[in-house]
Amino acid sequence: MAHFSYTAEKNDGEVYKGVAEANDRFELYQIIRREGAHVISVNEDAGGQKFSLKSINAIFSTIKEYDKILFARNLGAMLGAGLSLARALSVIERQSKNPKLATTVAELASDVRRGDTLHMALGKYPNVFPKLMVAMVRAGEEGGDLASSLAVTSDQMERIHDLKKKIRGAMLYPCIILFAIVGIGTLMMIKVVPTLAQTFIEMNAQLPQSTRIVIAISNFLISNTVLAVILLVGAVVAFFLLAKTAPGKRLSDRMLLAVPVIGPMVREVNAARTARTLASLSSSGVDVLTSLEITEEVVQNSYFRDVLKKARKSVGEGEPLSATFVRSDALYPAFVGEMMAVGEETGQTAEMLKRLAAYYETEVDRKTKDMSTIIEPFLMLFIGGAVGFFAVSMISPIYQLSEHI
């Protein structure tokens, strides 16, 4: 497959440039004619271009989630302005600063020029474009309004992206505090405790059990610093590897739901994602079973994914969509099932889902802003407990010694 850069003229006299892949120039001329234009000039890129700096960058770079959002938004805007699909993809390829995205879009444009629909072309890259985008694009193509469908897709993906950013931002403060505690505690164990321990030994002090534990930890860190670092790094790596396995993911999902402050937010985040995704797909004309299947991928927690699987099975057997959610009020808030039921009764399911999504997105936004205030008392209790244990352990022998002086 050769790579061509060309200049073409449309029937109305408009001249434009583009890039395309084709087996030869003859196939390229056919592709351009099908677009309603004729070639003015064409250049075949050098055969060694696949080893160019751009192609190497494309191999090692990644396509971020926000790049996909911009891709959907810009493509929808250009289609709405009247550009053909192949030409719009060519424009995005030239404008993209991400080499991997530019390469992928060039391949999409080539597939479209050879007769594939956009959703078929997107479906060839499941690791790049999510099922949500593919399904929304397919619905837009079948409904004859691809531009609007892409706009809805970009909005939906951006809302999911914003939710993730807010949650990560809310967790940043407690993570920094915990990191600082571990750092200061390690420094105290290495620098302060050995001096006090030597004093206790010289004065033959009777040490309580808590003091012996602190001194034992200090001695281990000093004598086995490299081993301690290896164990710490190994524990972190093992935790993340375990979390990627099915049993580990299941356990971490269960633990998140059990945490007092985090658990309710996890429920609301998943409720918002479920409602927003189902609303977008339903309003675009995607059938309920396919919508539920796609929503399973958007929802991260495996327990909520199980509910969606049950809902898909129940709907296939003739039950209303709301039935499963009403029965699963231990995970999804009861308000979700009730609103779905009202939507089904009034024939406004998509509208009710949008209201649900807006409500829970607002709740999550409010709680993430207040997260530091909510978590701060728990952090203070933890810090106080750690400092208190250390202080009592190291000061109580000093008091005992002072009583014998």
Side-chain angles (χ1 to χ4, degrees):
M1 190 71 67
H3 194 270
F4 296 95
S5 300
Y6 64 87
T7 302
E9 183 180 3
K10 297 179 73 172
N11 294 333
D12 59 5
E14 181 184 354
V15 177
Y16 66 95
K17 295 181 179 180
V19 292
E21 287 184 351
N23 291 319
D24 49 38
R25 291 179 178 240
F26 178 73
E27 183 180 6
L28 176 67
Y29 281 104
Q30 288 183 321
I31 291 171
I32 302 303
R33 277 198 294 269
R34 283 201 298 269
E35 293 181 6
H38 64 274
V39 175
I40 298 175
S41 64
V42 60
N43 292 311
E44 183 175 354
D45 294 341
Q49 187 175 357
K50 60 183 178 181
F51 301 109
S52 66
L53 181 61
K54 182 178 178 180
S55 61
I56 294 172
N57 287 338
I59 294 173
F60 293 102
S61 62
T62 58
I63 301 176
K64 297 179 180 179
E65 191 170 357
Y66 200 70
D67 292 330
K68 302 173 190 177
I69 295 169
L70 290 178
F71 166 75
R73 180 177 297 158
N74 293 339
L75 183 59
M78 282 187 275
L79 292 177
L83 272 69
S84 67
L85 178 58
R87 187 180 173 191
L89 289 169
S90 295
V91 172
I92 292 176
E93 179 199 354
R94 293 198 303 274
Q95 291 181 345
S96 177
K97 295 180 181 179
N98 185 314
K100 191 174 186 68
L101 179 61
T103 302
T104 304
V105 172
E107 293 168 355
L108 290 176
S110 296
D111 291 338
V112 168
R113 288 190 179 96
R114 283 194 290 271
D116 284 353
T117 59
L118 180 58
H119 84 268
M120 291 170 60
L122 294 173
K124 295 178 182 178
Y125 306 93
N127 295 327
V128 177
F129 301 107
K131 276 189 177 181
L132 172 65
M133 180 182 287
V134 177
M136 294 285 284
V137 167
R138 180 175 182 176
E141 288 175 326
E142 291 175 352
D145 195 1
L146 180 56
S148 297
S149 184
L150 284 166
V152 173
T153 303
S154 66
D155 289 342
Q156 163 69 0
M157 293 174 66
E158 187 169 23
R159 290 176 186 274
I160 294 173
H161 179 67
D162 288 343
L163 271 178
K164 290 180 181 177
K165 283 180 62 179
K166 288 172 184 175
I167 294 168
R168 288 172 185 164
M171 298 306 296
L172 183 62
Y173 171 73
C175 288
I176 291 174
I177 296 297
L178 291 175
F179 182 78
I181 292 171
V182 172
I184 294 170
T186 303
L187 188 64
M188 295 283 286
M189 289 290 182
I190 294 174
K191 297 294 183 182
V192 178
V193 173
T195 303
L196 293 173
Q198 185 63 32
T199 302
F200 297 151
I201 293 171
E202 291 174 355
M203 301 186 71
N204 294 319
Q206 294 293 323
L207 303 179
Q209 187 64 33
S210 61
T211 307
R212 293 174 186 174
I213 292 172
V214 172
I215 292 174
I217 295 172
S218 174
N219 291 336
F220 175 79
L221 290 175
I222 294 171
S223 304
N224 306 278
T225 305
V226 176
L227 178 61
V229 172
I230 292 173
L231 288 175
L232 178 62
V233 173
V236 173
V237 171
F239 173 79
F240 282 105
L241 290 177
L242 180 64
K244 290 184 177 180
T245 63
K249 182 72 168 62
R250 192 75 173 173
L251 178 61
S252 63
D253 289 344
R254 181 75 260 176
M255 290 173 63
L256 282 174
L257 288 168
V259 176
V261 177
I262 304 298
M265 185 177 291
V266 170
R267 291 179 174 86
E268 291 179 351
V269 166
N270 283 280
R273 287 182 176 179
T274 300
R276 179 65 63 185
T277 306
L278 287 174
S280 300
L281 292 167
S282 299
S283 60
S284 297
V286 180
D287 65 271
V288 178
L289 294 178
T290 304
S291 299
L292 288 168
E293 182 181 359
I294 294 168
T295 307
E296 286 177 32
E297 292 192 356
V298 176
V299 173
Q300 299 296 317
N301 191 290
S302 59
Y303 286 90
F304 291 88
R305 205 174 290 144
D306 289 344
V307 174
L308 291 168
K309 288 178 182 177
K310 291 177 184 177
R312 186 150 52 96
K313 182 179 178 181
S314 299
V315 170
E317 293 173 352
E319 279 192 353
L321 176 62
S322 60
T324 303
F325 290 91
V326 170
R327 290 194 295 265
S328 305
D329 57 353
L331 288 172
Y332 282 96
F335 187 49
V336 174
E338 293 299 327
M339 286 289 282
M340 284 185 176
V342 171
E344 288 169 336
E345 291 171 5
T346 59
Q348 295 181 336
T349 302
E351 181 61 31
M352 288 298 177
L353 287 169
K354 288 179 182 177
R355 293 182 184 181
L356 267 176
Y359 172 75
Y360 283 113
E361 285 166 358
T362 303
E363 284 294 299
V364 172
D365 186 32
R366 181 180 60 80
K367 288 184 177 180
T368 50
K369 289 178 181 177
D370 298 337
M371 179 65 79
S372 59
T373 305
I374 296 170
I375 292 180
E376 198 167 299
F378 295 94
L379 284 175
M380 292 301 103
L381 287 173
F382 175 76
I383 294 170
V387 172
F389 176 80
F390 181 82
V392 170
S393 299
M394 303 314 295
I395 293 175
S396 58
I398 297 175
Y399 277 121
Q400 292 178 8
L401 288 172
S402 64
E403 290 175 357
H404 292 85
I405 295 176

